[in-house]
Amino acid sequence: MCNLSKRYGRIRAVDDVSFTVRPGQVTGFLGPNGAGKSTTMRMMLGLDRPSAGRVLIDGVRYPEQGTPLRRVGALLEARSAHPGRSAYHHLLWLAQSNGIGRSRVAEVLTLVGLASVARRRVGGFSLGMVQRLGIAAALLGDPPVLLFDEPVNGLDPEGIRWIRELMRGLAAQGRTVFVSSHLMSEMALTADHLVVIGRGRLLADTGMREFVEANSGSTVRIRTPEPDRLRAVLVAAGVRVEAAPDGTLLAYDSEVARVGELIAANRLTVHEVGVQRASLEEAFMRLTASAVHHRAESDPRDGGNAVGDLDRPGDGDSVGGSGRPAGGARR
Amino acid sequence: MAAGDPARGGAGTTGTAGLGAVLRAELTKIRTVRSTVWTLLPTFVVGVGISLLAGLSFASQSPDQQKGFDPLFPAFYGLTLGQLPLVVFGALVMAGEYSSGTIRATLVAVPRRGRCYAGKVLATALFASAVALPTVLVGFLAAQAALGRYGVGLGAEGALPALLGGYLHLVLLCLLALGVAAMLRSPVRSLAVLLPVFFLGSQGLGNVPGVRTVTQYLPDQTSWVLLHLAGSQDEARWARDYGPWTGLGLLVLWTAASLLGGYLVLRRRDA
């Protein structure tokens, strides 16, 4: 993906974003609601035209893929099956359009657990069933590249675990799996690599572990019979310290080795020293918060760079459902 | 997951999804939404029914009133109402894609929008044909049977051209509606534009002399000369400014313009 941009009038929904997604791993596409994730995925599929830049899949733009469903499988965020049509017939016409055999329809219906309701109309489906149907459609052409936009939406815990294992399994087979989410906790369990956007801009493109380490300091938890002395020692060394409700001390943003040296040098007694890794959620909050903060600070009165949310202005049919992020800039 | 080397691209051969595949998919789409298919039935029922009634009413008139009467008139009179469900069908096939969100799945499956549109137009034309042909033929036969001794056969002068014209009239109007729906992208908006045009032209203003100089060019009006619905063209008060085939040609132009407009919108807009 090169220098991808999308504007709606003066609103820059996606602003000069470039990254590469590699096969054999799950790449998480993260951002708060309204960050430009769905718009980016729609441009990847040729549904929306980029204002600038392009997306190549195996070196070819999506519309030029001969039988696209066999190259790229996609689950879109918004509903895309006619409520009056049965699940089976929805998949049947999709299969016919790309010359995929009828037997494959039954296969994917079984795979996603919808075989027993295949002849029922989609209009009567629960959100979770609609989501499973969307996943069946994505898998229909057995494609090497898969795009999932917010796949866990509407799924129950059992369904969430199922899609997580499915995505990991697809990546393990050597496929390229690109999955968007605004839930960090979900990505922590699924993704190997992270692409983070906020306000239409690329914020990070990195491995999962590197991302956490780069965006968070670790916290050291110490249980000690002499908390007051320890606190004094740590504060004197410039470490921010807090007492946890259970009586332990928390030393923020510091390495365990450094805390250990301070303890030894001052001959303190400790009963327990542990490291708390910051969660991905915290790392993400820091990253996007700084982006939002930066925006808010530089938000000029003339509004020249102001970026609104991604819901497309003036398009009542839009079902993006992306909310305006907190602290949104004025248009 | 099913078999397949993922790097190769999965389910069997590669190649392109040709127009044939797209047409098959579009036929399946129309066939599998019951409410859309049901809109086709009234065209036949209303078209044939009204032609039959028109035939009966002419047959029961006094000989005086029957003088100079055209036996082909009642044969096609039913189409003036029978065409409306077909217009609704054409609009729903296209606009339903937008109201249901299916358009996204459609364009992901067939990202080449010209091919996608061509498949939809062809599939709609096939369904419209499947209804138009029996409607026109049975309507003609029913009206002639109802006319009794005044009825004519298929060999009567002007009958075959009129039958062909009736068939084309229905199919073209259906496609015209599809084009309008592709431009407006909503069932409500499309029908709000289409139905007044077809009601006003046929059932309303069409008979007012001054207004007719304009309404005679409305898309559902131009075939009327060919269909023997416009009154005797030898009489000045009925005569139109174009002949039967020119009239049909005008409808072809209307339809082509509508389909082209729909294509341009589909090609340009984000889905």
Side-chain angles (χ1 to χ4, degrees):
Chain A
M1 176 179 315
C2 303
N3 309 112
L4 197 65
S5 293
K6 178 71 183 178
R7 303 152 159 269
Y8 299 111
R10 287 178 59 198
I11 317 286
R12 264 179 280 173
V14 175
D15 193 1
D16 202 20
V17 169
S18 302
F19 59 86
T20 304
V21 185
R22 300 186 188 288
Q25 59 183 14
V26 176
T27 300
F29 188 37
L30 300 174
N33 283 336
K37 300 188 297 293
S38 289
T39 306
T40 301
M41 292 185 109
R42 292 163 58 82
M43 287 192 282
M44 290 171 127
L45 294 167
L47 286 175
D48 287 5
R49 253 145 254 254
S51 310
R54 58 183 185 164
V55 184
L56 299 180
I57 299 170
D58 285 343
V60 184
R61 290 198 322 121
Y62 184 83
E64 266 89 62
Q65 308 279 348
T67 45
L69 298 187
R70 296 176 181 213
R71 302 295 309 159
V72 182
L75 169 73
L76 293 169
E77 192 184 1
R79 190 179 258 268
S80 60
H82 195 292
R85 200 175 277 129
S86 72
Y88 175 81
H89 283 135
H90 176 65
L91 295 174
L92 179 63
W93 75 256
L94 281 171
Q96 287 173 335
S97 72
N98 276 246
I100 297 164
R102 204 175 264 259
S103 60
R104 180 66 184 157
V105 172
E107 257 174 60
V108 291
L109 279 166
T110 306
L111 190 69
V112 302
L114 289 178
S116 61
V117 293
R119 297 285 175 173
R120 292 236 301 263
R121 292 196 202 183
V122 177
F125 279 17
S126 70
L127 196 54
M129 288 160 85
V130 170
Q131 204 71 347
R132 283 171 184 264
L133 179 61
I135 290 162
L139 297 175
L140 195 59
D142 200 13
V145 178
L146 288 135
L147 310 178
F148 296 111
D149 197 2
E150 303 275 0
V152 303
N153 271 1
L155 290 178
D156 55 17
E158 188 254 333
I160 290 174
R161 209 178 60 204
W162 169 76
I163 178 90
R164 200 182 286 152
E165 281 164 12
L166 177 76
M167 288 191 292
R168 297 227 48 93
L170 292 167
Q173 290 169 349
R175 297 175 211 259
T176 306
V177 180
F178 187 65
V179 51
S180 82
S181 180
H182 62 279
L183 297 171
M184 293 305 109
S185 47
E186 183 51 41
M187 284 299 92
L189 295 164
T190 321
D192 310 298
H193 192 88
L194 285 179
V195 172
V196 184
I197 65 168
R199 303 252 158 196
R201 295 232 184 122
L202 187 69
L203 298 178
D205 178 5
T206 165
M208 172 73 75
R209 191 166 303 140
E210 292 90 319
F211 172 75
V212 177
E213 278 167 8
N215 288 285
S216 66
S218 58
T219 301
V220 183
R221 176 185 287 270
I222 312 132
R223 189 180 299 282
T224 169
E226 33 192 355
D228 295 337
R229 267 194 67 205
L230 176 58
R231 178 194 283 266
V233 165
L234 290 173
V235 169
V239 177
R240 192 160 65 87
V241 186
E242 252 176 44
D246 65 352
T248 58
L249 288 181
L250 298 174
Y252 290 106
D253 297 324
S254 62
E255 291 300 318
V256 66
R258 178 164 152 68
V259 172
E261 283 160 15
L262 286 167
I263 290 169
N266 292 278
R267 297 179 170 277
L268 286 154
T269 307
V270 293
H271 293 155
E272 184 187 336
V273 177
V275 179
Q276 285 185 330
R277 245 316 131 232
S279 71
L280 186 54
E281 198 81 44
E282 288 168 44
F284 169 73
M285 293 301 274
R286 281 171 187 239
L287 186 62
T288 53
S290 69
V292 169
H293 181 64
H294 170 73
R295 281 298 172 127
E297 259 183 2
S298 67
D299 179 21
R301 289 264 71 170
D302 66 23
N305 287 322
V307 176
D309 68 326
L310 282 183
D311 275 345
R312 301 155 61 185
D315 188 344
D317 295 333
S318 168
V319 247
S322 39
R324 189 184 295 262
R330 258 159 264 110
R331 293 201 189 145
Chain B
M1 282 308 299
D5 168 13
R8 190 168 46 85
T13 58
T14 44
T16 58
L19 186 58
V22 178
L23 176 60
R24 266 183 77 200
E26 290 297 335
L27 288 171
T28 300
K29 271 160 105 175
I30 294 174
R31 180 172 65 78
T32 55
V33 175
R34 229 175 302 161
S35 57
T36 314
V37 177
W38 275 106
T39 59
L40 289 171
L41 188 68
T43 289
F44 182 82
V45 174
V46 172
V48 172
I50 293 194
S51 286
L52 182 74
L53 290 176
L56 286 172
S57 93
F58 272 110
S60 61
Q61 279 171 354
S62 67
D64 202 32
Q65 286 171 303
Q66 286 165 353
K67 216 170 61 177
F69 132 86
D70 183 348
L72 292 183
F73 178 85
F76 300 101
Y77 187 63
L79 300 189
T80 57
L81 270 179
Q83 71 195 10
L84 293 175
L86 211 51
V87 164
V88 173
F89 169 78
L92 284 185
V93 166
M94 190 70 212
E97 291 261 337
Y98 290 96
S99 59
S100 68
T102 318
I103 187 71
R104 287 182 282 267
T106 300
L107 291 178
V108 167
V110 187
R112 302 211 175 169
R113 299 192 177 187
R115 184 177 296 166
C116 176
Y117 190 61
K120 194 167 272 302
V121 170
L122 277 178
T124 306
L126 285 178
F127 268 89
S129 290
V131 177
L133 219 49
T135 301
V136 170
L137 202 59
V138 176
F140 176 88
L141 296 176
Q144 301 313 319
L147 284 170
R149 63 197 172 92
Y150 303 107
V152 296
L154 289 170
E157 196 199 335
L160 282 180
L163 283 166
L164 177 67
Y167 160 74
L168 291 174
H169 172 82
L170 289 178
V171 174
L172 287 170
L173 279 191
C174 183
L175 296 182
L176 181 136
L178 186 153
V180 169
M183 285 186 268
L184 299 178
R185 316 200 317 161
S186 133
V188 176
R189 283 197 296 256
S190 306
L191 294 179
V193 167
L194 287 166
L195 292 184
V197 168
F198 291 128
F199 270 116
L200 280 181
S202 308
Q203 272 73 41
L205 302 172
N207 295 321
V208 184
V211 180
R212 212 185 59 219
T213 50
V214 177
T215 60
Q216 66 176 340
Y217 291 107
L218 284 175
D220 72 317
Q221 292 286 302
T222 58
S223 327
W224 279 26
V225 181
L226 185 58
L227 298 181
H228 295 246
L229 293 175
S232 170
Q233 295 297 299
D234 300 333
E235 290 182 45
R237 63 185 173 125
W238 301 124
R240 299 205 170 178
D241 302 332
Y242 48 80
W245 294 109
T246 313
L248 191 70
L250 288 172
L251 177 56
V252 170
L253 287 181
W254 272 108
T255 305
S258 168
L259 287 176
L260 179 67
Y263 170 65
L264 292 176
V265 169
L266 181 71
R267 203 186 59 171
R268 243 196 38 239
R269 295 280 301 258
D270 290 337

